[in-house]
Amino acid sequence: MGSSHERPDLRPPVLSWLRGYRRTWLRGDVLAGVTITAYLIPQVMAYAEVAGVPAAVGLSAAVGSLLAYALLGSSPQLSVGPESTTALMTAAALGSVPGIAGDRYGEFAAALALVVAGVCAVSWLGGLSFVSELLSRPVLVGYLTGIAAIMIVSQLGNLSGITVEADGFLPELAYVARHLDRADASTLAVGLVTLAGMLVLAALAPRAPVALIGMLTASAVVAWFDLEASGVAVIGSVPAGLATPGLPEVSVHDVLSLVPAALGVAFVGYTDNILTGRAFAHRREQRIDPRRELLALGAANLGAGLMHGFPVSSSGSRTAIGDAAGGRTQLTGLVTVAATVIAVLALRPVLEAFPTAALGAVVVYAAVRLIDLPEFRRLAHFRRSELLLALTTTAAVLVVGVLNGIVVAVGLSVFDLMRRVARPHDAVEGFVPGVPGMHDISDYAGAEPVPGLMIYRYDSPLFFANAENFRSRARAAVAESADPVRWFVLNTEAVVEVDITAADALETLRRELSERGVVFGLVRMKMDLRDELAPTGILERIGEQYLFPTLPTAVAAYRDWLRTHGAPSGDA
């Protein structure tokens, strides 16, 4: 999966989920789509302003991207569209381009989305989805926890009525803590009561459309008691209509100037899609196709660009809300598209009256469901380093931001992997009475090696990071042997790859043992490893007669050799 030689899968995923669709899923998909719509409309309008384009552009971008992803995306739950990171990156990228203002800014934003789509398409064809394989399970757990914390803190202003003049998790949290005296009692009551009601209802009736009920109830209460007059803010004006599809009016030179920014946006968007999509797929024992997600993200940005929008990615909060409301397939996305269009055209007064405090409560409710404490406990029981990786990922996302946090987490994943393969398990193998085959003698109290024959196993590929460790531990095994070693045979079943540094270490070990009169051999060598070692000449120096296909043939060859060279003392 994800290698460059794979043939791209051209079958639209929409055909698969349509063929396997169950009628029992319809209620959840529809409710999830409607619930997401109520949250999406004010959110994408805000993100449009962050990106530097009119609020209505966010709605058009959402419709175009959701429709495209529903047709090509491999994740049943993922909700795509305008989100904070790509909106900020859009503003930063276009802000550095001189001479962009007014209508030209919107055209460049749409062009950037189309260039991102092109980058994703080229990456899909080139099989560059392998980068997703660097994202381990602890990274997913820690990432979602960090995203949940960011979601909660980002809604403190809506929940309390405080105008937060800060940006980022720690600055926002500190600002709210310093200005609690500015909280509006009515707003705080609406937000906290809505949140508490949803949490209680979720505990009593897990299958109920909790988020939708919470939003509608809060809207009714605010309207009935005229709480807007008491300071409870509502969404306010919602623009009418959507953009007409078309290409932005930019030159080829303008498009080329956007490529560097598009590379960054595509990387961030794809990483976010994979992290969020895999995390939610894991919860339902499903899987997503990382390579297909490149194409789907490209299609989503194509849809956003043609609708004169701006670059898009996945939204963790909207995905969480859809999952909490019972969404099972990408029909949720299509319902969201239809509901958004209907809402913009026909239900604007209802949307305009929705209280932002209740909106914040819905986001916090969805965020709480992202924090998986049992999974943290499972990681702790499995390996402490896995728990540390998850916690570090969470901290990195909170302290340095989503993108930099992901980079830190992936770096830690690679470091942890390198640490383990650089100091792997090794074994001296022998026979165990009553147990077929040869086994690590340290695993069995009655295990005995063949006197004079050391079968040594190193459980890792050999490369520059562990080459010296391999040589020193093999020499130590020989030195610590109870019987003088006459043959040293390396069991290469775990050595699936070798680089030139490790090949040199292997040759050094062979030469050192040969100078001491110890015969050096290899056993269970795969053809790929043989092909890698052949150009070094080490196989010729070892000799074909000491390259054994199986452990029994190596033992039999050693015993034949003893008949002409004499048995060591203690040999039965």
Side-chain angles (χ1 to χ4, degrees):
M1 180 174 61
S3 61
S4 58
H5 63 271
E6 284 184 351
R7 184 173 299 173
D9 184 3
L10 302 177
R11 295 171 297 179
V14 64
L15 299 179
S16 299
W17 66 258
L18 279 177
R19 281 196 299 265
Y21 198 83
R22 301 177 185 176
R23 292 183 60 184
T24 55
W25 296 345
L26 183 61
R27 175 178 176 274
D29 282 343
V30 172
L31 286 173
V34 173
T35 305
I36 290 173
T37 301
Y39 177 59
L40 173 144
I41 290 176
Q43 188 187 55
V44 301
M45 291 166 60
Y47 290 155
E49 294 180 358
V50 170
V53 296
V57 173
L59 297 171
S60 299
V63 168
S65 57
L66 279 166
L67 183 61
Y69 187 85
L71 299 177
L72 291 176
S74 66
S75 170
Q77 287 89 24
L78 203 63
S79 179
V80 302
E83 55 83 37
S84 58
T85 306
T86 50
L88 286 170
M89 293 186 72
T90 298
L94 299 185
S96 63
V97 179
I100 300 180
D103 293 339
R104 289 285 292 165
Y105 189 97
E107 295 295 316
F108 268 78
L112 180 60
L114 295 179
V115 178
V116 170
V119 170
C120 291
V122 171
S123 300
W124 171 70
L125 288 172
L128 300 183
S129 61
F130 67 87
V131 296
S132 70
E133 296 169 9
L134 297 176
L135 307 176
S136 65
R137 179 64 188 161
V139 169
L140 294 176
V141 174
Y143 171 81
L144 277 186
T145 303
I147 290 297
I150 290 174
M151 288 166 58
I152 292 171
V153 170
S154 72
Q155 297 305 311
L156 293 180
N158 286 337
L159 288 170
S160 63
I162 299 173
T163 301
V164 180
E165 298 177 357
D167 186 30
F169 175 79
L170 294 177
E172 288 180 36
L173 187 60
Y175 187 93
V176 172
R178 291 195 306 268
H179 298 86
L180 287 176
D181 57 319
R182 298 183 184 178
D184 179 77
S186 298
T187 300
L188 192 60
V190 169
L192 294 181
V193 171
T194 302
L195 175 59
M198 288 189 294
L199 292 173
V200 171
L201 182 58
L204 297 176
R207 299 181 63 85
V210 175
L212 182 58
I213 292 173
M215 288 188 295
L216 294 178
T217 302
S219 297
V221 169
V222 170
W224 182 266
F225 293 101
D226 192 23
L227 295 181
E228 187 176 355
S230 300
V232 177
V234 296
I235 289 176
S237 177
V238 175
L242 296 170
T244 302
L247 293 172
E249 296 181 1
V250 293
S251 67
V252 174
H253 178 269
D254 294 333
V255 170
L256 294 176
S257 69
L258 296 174
V259 170
L263 290 170
V265 174
F267 174 75
V268 174
Y270 178 63
T271 302
D272 199 32
N273 272 27
I274 292 297
L275 281 168
T276 306
R278 281 177 57 185
F280 281 91
H282 179 80
R283 293 181 167 206
R284 296 185 181 272
E285 297 184 351
Q286 299 167 335
R287 67 175 298 275
I288 65 171
D289 182 346
R291 188 169 190 179
R292 171 64 66 174
E293 284 303 298
L294 271 173
L295 184 63
L297 179 63
N301 277 278
L302 176 64
L306 291 178
M307 292 294 289
H308 301 281
F310 54 95
V312 299
S313 179
S314 64
S315 167
S317 58
R318 295 197 297 270
T319 302
I321 288 171
D323 183 69
R328 297 295 298 271
T329 72
Q330 273 300 332
L331 181 61
T332 296
L334 297 177
V335 172
T336 303
V337 170
T340 300
V341 173
I342 293 172
V344 171
L345 297 179
L347 299 178
R348 289 169 57 216
V350 176
L351 297 173
E352 291 170 350
F354 189 79
T356 56
L359 179 66
V362 171
V363 176
V364 172
Y365 166 75
V368 169
R369 296 171 62 91
L370 292 180
I371 302 174
D372 196 343
L373 293 179
E375 188 67 8
F376 277 101
R377 287 194 294 269
R378 188 174 76 92
L379 293 174
H381 291 153
F382 178 73
R383 185 183 290 127
R384 186 174 299 177
S385 63
E386 303 278 2
L387 174 64
L388 181 61
L389 181 58
L391 293 175
T392 304
T393 302
T394 300
V397 170
L398 297 180
V399 175
V400 300
V402 175
L403 175 58
N404 291 331
I406 291 171
V407 173
V408 170
V410 171
L412 288 172
S413 292
V414 174
F415 175 80
D416 187 52
L417 173 64
M418 292 285 287
R419 179 185 63 82
R420 283 186 275 127
V421 299
R423 299 295 183 269
H425 176 268
D426 67 342
V428 174
E429 296 184 292
F431 291 104
V432 181
V435 182
M438 299 189 74
H439 306 276
D440 184 348
I441 61 174
S442 64
D443 290 341
Y444 296 89
E448 290 289 343
V450 177
L453 170 64
M454 176 169 287
I455 303 290
Y456 179 76
R457 192 182 75 231
Y458 193 75
D459 295 335
S460 170
L462 291 176
F463 65 118
F464 66 92
N466 63 16
E468 184 57 32
N469 177 262
F470 158 73
R471 189 171 71 92
S472 62
R473 287 167 71 178
R475 291 172 61 190
V478 172
E480 295 167 5
S481 175
D483 298 309
V485 176
R486 305 184 72 181
W487 273 34
F488 179 94
V489 178
L490 175 64
N491 183 349
T492 64
E493 61 180 305
V495 184
V496 295
E497 190 173 359
V498 64
D499 67 6
I500 191 63
T501 305
D504 289 344
L506 190 63
E507 167 59 20
T508 301
L509 177 64
R510 183 205 67 80
R511 187 176 62 252
E512 291 174 347
L513 293 177
S514 296
E515 290 173 352
R516 295 168 53 183
V518 178
V519 175
F520 188 93
L522 301 176
V523 65
R524 303 192 66 179
M525 182 169 50
K526 298 176 177 63
M527 288 304 300
D528 288 345
L529 180 61
R530 178 185 281 268
D531 292 341
E532 290 177 349
L533 290 176
T536 69
I538 189 174
L539 300 183
E540 296 176 0
R541 289 187 287 274
I542 293 173
E544 189 67 32
Q545 70 273 27
Y546 298 117
L547 304 178
F548 307 106
T550 65
L551 292 173
T553 58
V555 174
Y558 171 69
R559 287 176 171 157
D560 287 342
W561 180 87
L562 287 180
R563 294 189 181 97
T564 57
H565 292 78
S569 61
D571 189 5

